[in-house]
Amino acid sequence: MREFKTINNPYTLQFSYIPPRFIERTAVTNEIIENFIRDIPTYRGMFISGVRGTGKTVMLGDIRNKIAAMDKWIAVDVNPESDLLDSLARALYLIPEVRALFLKAKIDVSVMGIGVHIEGAELVASNSEDALKMMLQVLKKNRRKVLVTIDEIVYSKEVARFSHALSSYASADYDIYVLMTGLKDNINSIKNNKSLTFLYRAKVKELETLNITAICKDYENTFGIKRDLAEKLAFETKGYSLAFQALGYHYWNALCAEPVTAVNPEKVFEELDVSLAELAYEKICEELSATDIKVLQAMADIMEKTGESVIKVEDIRDVLEMTSDTFATYRKRLVESGIVEGKVYGHLRMLLPRFEKFLSFRVRW
């Protein structure tokens, strides 16, 4: 019999790194990587979009690691809150093998406070944008390509400046590519600004849910439980990446305290509810309008009364006393946010697991 210890829990509630139990979205990951590494990439910039907790950061890190392991590639992560051009130039210079190429080429970037002044330098940078241009020129001569990753990007003057610089570098055919993650609204704020040519043309990949069968198999193998119980746990996550990790985390801890036959899934689900609320749902609701919340609350109330997971739009409108035209605005917003799904004509369905329970508790609280 397997021994379960909390210290060995393979699931995590921590963000921003690739967890031990990781279900890869192979098709999307391969599509993004293949785009960047082909001789003539279709897109020099790409966004990974999705609601909070869908695994954008994990996918970003996974792709960065895979490309960094390839010959002639350099992958650099940049803080979205920083001066992007300055941070990128510094990050490149701090890589020993890359710095050696710059020193050999006699480029002087001491104006940025990095490196040393080079007597008789062939190229001397006067600012970070020029420094980066010189660096990319050297890297291209040495057949090196650069992937820049930025997690949770939002529009700012620095992002605008970065986009304009990237357009200039692309025109010079320097081998620099950018992969970013962001919430749908934040990405739209960037792409709606058509003057940001580089980022305006960047491709957006919307993350879909994790494969339920893969989650089921993971739980079955990791916990040593029967298929029907693994399926029950997997379906409870709805393929939501955060729920997959959180449910696995709490179920593992439950197995540390009692045998598998004594674990009560409902108690584990209650712990899951707390984690989802604290780690994602409260923040998601903060970013919605008051009317958005009312629409979702109406859906939750109907789900509680009827036991149905797919709700008629007509029933929601009747509860809210809202016209069809008015409701269409909020329906569009909620569907685009990734919180609800409207694939069945005239109906809506919650995409986030147990979100209706969170909304009901939120009202009572």
Side-chain angles (χ1 to χ4, degrees):
M1 179 179 288
R2 180 171 185 174
E3 185 179 9
F4 293 90
K5 295 182 179 180
T6 55
I7 196 172
N8 295 328
N9 197 323
Y11 301 95
T12 182
L13 302 181
Q14 181 178 321
F15 286 95
S16 301
Y17 89 111
I18 301 174
R21 304 306 302 173
F22 167 53
I23 295 178
E24 184 177 351
R25 292 176 170 93
T26 306
V28 177
T29 297
N30 289 344
E31 180 184 346
I32 293 173
I33 292 175
E34 288 170 5
N35 168 74
F36 287 132
I37 67 174
R38 65 179 58 170
D39 291 338
I40 304 177
T42 305
Y43 304 100
R44 284 180 174 264
M46 297 186 76
F47 291 102
I48 300 172
S49 178
V51 70
R52 292 183 183 279
T54 50
K56 301 185 298 296
T57 301
V58 170
M59 176 176 279
L60 183 77
D62 183 45
I63 292 173
R64 181 173 61 246
N65 292 345
K66 283 180 167 63
I67 288 184
M70 295 179 180
D71 187 40
K72 299 296 183 179
W73 274 91
I74 303 162
V76 178
D77 191 55
V78 178
N79 184 342
E81 299 293 329
S82 67
D83 179 325
L84 297 175
L85 292 173
D86 182 86
S87 294
L88 177 54
R90 289 172 182 276
L92 286 171
Y93 197 85
L94 289 175
I95 301 172
E97 60 176 304
V98 176
R99 182 169 63 248
L101 296 176
F102 299 151
L103 293 175
K104 183 178 179 181
K106 293 186 177 181
I107 64 171
D108 188 333
V109 293
S110 58
V111 68
M112 297 176 59
I114 56 176
V116 295
H117 175 65
I118 300 175
E119 291 293 339
E122 295 181 7
L123 297 170
V124 181
S126 58
N127 55 54
S128 57
E129 188 170 343
D130 285 344
L132 194 51
K133 186 180 296 184
M134 295 172 187
M135 291 177 174
L136 292 173
Q137 192 173 18
V138 170
L139 291 173
K140 185 171 182 63
K141 287 181 179 178
N142 286 272
R143 298 182 180 179
R144 305 298 294 271
K145 298 182 179 182
V146 179
L147 174 69
V148 183
T149 59
I150 306 174
D151 193 27
E152 294 296 348
I153 194 167
V154 297
Y155 178 78
S156 67
K157 289 182 179 179
E158 283 302 327
V159 169
R161 178 170 169 249
F162 186 60
S163 180
H164 289 307
L166 289 172
S167 293
S168 173
Y169 301 154
S171 296
D173 200 28
Y174 295 143
D175 293 315
I176 181 169
Y177 310 93
V178 186
L179 179 62
M180 303 150 282
T181 71
L183 300 176
K184 191 67 174 286
D185 286 348
N186 292 335
I187 292 175
N188 286 341
S189 295
I190 294 171
K191 291 186 70 66
N192 287 341
N193 190 332
K194 296 182 180 181
S195 66
L196 307 183
T197 307
F198 186 93
L199 295 181
Y200 172 71
R201 293 176 179 172
K203 175 71 173 179
V204 179
K205 293 300 298 182
E206 188 81 23
L207 281 194
E208 296 184 353
T209 55
L210 296 175
N211 184 282
I212 293 294
T213 302
I215 294 176
C216 178
K217 186 175 182 180
D218 181 278
Y219 285 162
E220 186 179 6
N221 294 338
T222 305
F223 301 138
I225 57 179
K226 293 182 178 179
R227 180 73 179 186
D228 58 345
L229 177 55
E231 287 180 350
K232 179 179 180 179
L233 299 178
F235 279 112
E236 201 68 31
T237 71
K238 288 188 175 181
Y240 183 51
S241 183
L242 174 59
F244 162 63
Q245 289 292 330
L247 181 53
Y249 176 84
H250 292 302
Y251 202 88
W252 177 281
N253 286 345
L255 289 172
C256 294
E258 51 195 350
V260 63
T261 54
V263 173
N264 183 349
E266 294 304 321
K267 288 186 177 179
V268 176
F269 294 157
E270 290 175 3
E271 293 178 320
L272 171 64
D273 289 338
V274 174
S275 294
L276 291 176
E278 291 179 346
L279 299 175
Y281 291 174
E282 285 290 357
K283 186 63 176 178
I284 287 172
C285 284
E286 286 176 10
E287 295 165 344
L288 297 173
S289 71
T291 307
D292 288 332
I293 297 293
K294 287 181 180 179
V295 172
L296 292 170
Q297 187 60 59
M299 288 182 65
D301 292 343
I302 294 171
M303 291 173 69
E304 186 176 6
K305 291 176 182 177
T306 65
E308 298 292 332
S309 60
V310 181
I311 312 301
K312 289 183 179 179
V313 167
E314 183 180 358
D315 292 343
I316 304 171
R317 285 175 38 220
D318 287 345
V319 171
L320 298 171
E321 298 181 346
M322 190 178 289
T323 66
S324 178
D325 287 344
T326 301
F327 183 81
T329 300
Y330 297 101
R331 176 193 179 282
K332 183 174 183 293
R333 280 167 50 87
L334 292 172
V335 168
E336 288 184 348
S337 71
I339 298 173
V340 302
E341 177 188 81
K343 291 183 179 179
V344 178
Y345 179 76
H347 295 74
L348 291 177
R349 179 174 73 92
M350 294 273 193
L351 285 177
L352 300 178
R354 302 176 71 83
F355 194 55
E356 68 280 1
K357 296 183 182 299
F358 165 76
L359 290 168
S360 297
F361 177 79
R362 189 171 183 266
V363 169
R364 291 196 298 272
W365 183 77

